[in-house]
C-alpha cells in the first residue's frame, strides 16, 4: 500500500516545495517594504482611534517580529495564485481530460475570489469592527492597541474572508465533477449554518459584531453556491428512482 502512495507523496512534496519557495522569495522582497505595507494595514485602525490614542508596542522585539509577520502575511497573499496553481496540478491527474481544461478558470477564479474577500474585509469589515471595538467604552478608558496584536487580528480576519469567498469556486468544480447537487447543498443547509457560525467564532475577534460580519456573507455565499450547483449539476428525481431500483434488484 505504501508503494502505491509513494508517487502521490512525492508529487505532494514537489507541490509543497514550490509553494514554500514562492512564499520565501516573496517574503524577502516584501521585507524591504514592510514599513509601507504596515502603514497600509494600520490605516483603518488609525482612522478610528480617538484623540489621545496611539498604536504602541509593549515587548522587546515586538516591532521586529511585527515586521516579520507583516512580510510573511503579504508574501502569503501574493503567492495565492501560485498556491492555487499547485493545488490544481496535484489533483489534476485524478481528473478526466474534459475536467482538466478548467485549470485556468479554477486558478483565476480562486485567486479573484480570495482577493475579493480580502478587499471586502479591508474596506468594510475592519473599519466597522475596529471602530466598534476601539470606541466602545472610550469615555472610561484610553485606547492603546499594541501593533503586534493588531497585525494578528488583521491577518486572521483577512485570511478568513479570503477563504470564505472561495466557497462558490469550490462548489462550481464539485458540481462539475458531479459530487454535489443543489439538493444535497440545500439538505445540508441547516448544518452549514452551524458550521459557518463556529468558523466565524474561531476566525474573528471575540465580539458578536465581527462574527456576524463574517457569518452573514458566508451564508449569502452558501446560498449562491446552491444556485451555482443548480445551474451546473441540477438534482434529477430520476436519479433516486434508479438508485432504488438498483437496490431492489440487488436484494
Amino acid at each position: 500500500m505504501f508503494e502505491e502512495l509513494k508517487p502521490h507523496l512525492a508529487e505532494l512534496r514537489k507541490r509543497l516545495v514550490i509553494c514554500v519557495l514562492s512564499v520565501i522569495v516573496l517574503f524577502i522582497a516584501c521585507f524591504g517594504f514592510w514599513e509601507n505595507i504596515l502603514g497600509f494595514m494600520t490605516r483603518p485602525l488609525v482612522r478610528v482611534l480617538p484623540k489621545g490614542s496611539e498604536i504602541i508596542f509593549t515587548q522587546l522585539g515586538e516591532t521586529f517580529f511585527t515586521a516579520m509577520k507583516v512580510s510573511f502575511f503579504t508574501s502569503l497573499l501574493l503567492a495565492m495564485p501560485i498556491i492555487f496553481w499547485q493545488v490544481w496540478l496535484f489533483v489534476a491527474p485524478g481528473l478526466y481530460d474534459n475536467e482538466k481544461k478548467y485549470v485556468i478558470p479554477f486558478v483565476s477564479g480562486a485567486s479573484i475570489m480570495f482577493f475579493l474577500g480580502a478587499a471586502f474585509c479591508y474596506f468594510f469589515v475592519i473599519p466597522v469592527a475596529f471602530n466598534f471595538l476601539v470606541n466602545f467604552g472610550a469615555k472610561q478608558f484610553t485606547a492603546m492597541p499594541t501593533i503586534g496584536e493588531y497585525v494578528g487580528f488583521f491577518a486572521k480576519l483577512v485570511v478568513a474572508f479570503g477563504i470564505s469567498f472561495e466557497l462558490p469556486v469550490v462548489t462550481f468544480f464539485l458540481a462539475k465533477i458531479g459530487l454535489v447537487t443543489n439538493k444535497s447543498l440545500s439538505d445540508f443547509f441547516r448544518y452549514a449554518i452551524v458550521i459557518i457560525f463556529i468558523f466565524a467564532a474561531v476566525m474573528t475577534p471575540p465580539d458578536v459584531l465581527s462574527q456576524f460580519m463574517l457569518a452573514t456573507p458566508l451564508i449569502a455565499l452558501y446560498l449562491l453556491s446552491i444556485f451555482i450547483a443548480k445551474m451546473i449539476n441540477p438534482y434529477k428525481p430520476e436519479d433516486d428512482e434508479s438508485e432504488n431500483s438498483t437496490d431492489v434488484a440487488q436484494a
Side-chain angles (χ1 to χ4, degrees):
M1 185 176 182
F2 178 75
E3 292 298 326
E4 295 178 357
L5 292 175
K6 208 170 181 181
H8 300 290
L9 294 175
E11 181 69 14
L12 177 61
R13 182 180 61 183
K14 177 182 177 182
R15 301 304 164 197
L16 288 175
V17 167
I18 294 175
C19 292
V20 171
L21 289 177
S22 301
V23 173
I24 291 175
V25 171
L26 289 169
F27 171 83
I28 295 172
C30 292
F31 193 77
F33 303 94
W34 74 268
E35 290 181 322
N36 304 86
I37 300 171
L38 183 61
F40 178 78
M41 291 173 62
T42 56
R43 195 173 301 160
L45 178 61
V46 172
R47 288 175 177 172
V48 301
L49 280 177
K51 188 176 181 180
S53 297
E54 57 185 344
I55 306 174
I56 62 172
F57 71 91
T58 59
Q59 299 176 1
L60 290 175
E62 185 173 357
T63 52
F64 173 75
F65 289 111
T66 297
M68 297 283 287
K69 287 193 289 187
V70 167
S71 303
F72 174 75
F73 170 70
T74 307
S75 64
L76 185 63
L77 291 186
L78 294 178
M80 290 312 296
I82 300 174
I83 293 173
F84 290 135
W85 179 270
Q86 297 306 310
V87 169
W88 180 270
L89 292 179
F90 178 71
V91 302
L95 301 176
Y96 294 108
D97 290 337
N98 63 318
E99 296 168 345
K100 294 179 181 179
K101 65 182 180 181
Y102 295 108
V103 54
I104 294 179
F106 172 79
V107 174
S108 58
S111 301
I112 290 171
M113 291 302 293
F114 186 90
F115 290 125
L116 185 62
F120 176 79
C121 179
Y122 179 84
F123 290 106
F124 178 70
V125 177
I126 287 178
V128 174
F130 280 89
N131 182 51
F132 170 77
L133 293 173
V134 169
N135 291 289
F136 185 82
K139 294 181 179 180
Q140 288 77 29
F141 309 100
T142 301
M144 292 291 181
T146 62
I147 187 61
E149 185 176 337
Y150 172 76
V151 169
F153 277 148
F154 180 95
K156 198 174 181 181
L157 278 175
V158 170
V159 171
F161 274 86
I163 294 174
S164 301
F165 274 60
E166 295 298 318
L167 187 57
V169 178
V170 174
T171 301
F172 174 85
F173 287 98
L174 290 179
K176 268 291 183 183
I177 62 179
L179 292 181
V180 297
T181 65
N182 56 305
K183 185 178 185 301
S184 64
L185 292 177
S186 298
D187 292 343
F188 192 73
F189 182 69
R190 67 183 72 179
Y191 306 104
I193 294 294
V194 177
I195 296 172
I196 285 171
F197 274 96
I198 292 175
F199 176 77
V202 171
M203 297 300 294
T204 58
D207 67 282
V208 177
L209 177 63
S210 301
Q211 294 173 15
F212 272 92
M213 292 182 75
L214 176 57
T216 301
L218 252 179
I219 294 172
L221 289 169
Y222 191 90
L223 295 175
L224 175 62
S225 298
I226 295 176
F227 175 76
I228 291 173
K230 186 175 182 180
M231 298 294 294
I232 303 300
N233 186 34
Y235 167 73
K236 301 179 181 62
E238 55 266 23
D239 293 341
D240 289 341
E241 295 178 2
S242 61
E243 290 180 3
N244 293 333
S245 61
T246 303
D247 293 339
V248 171
Q250 290 177 350

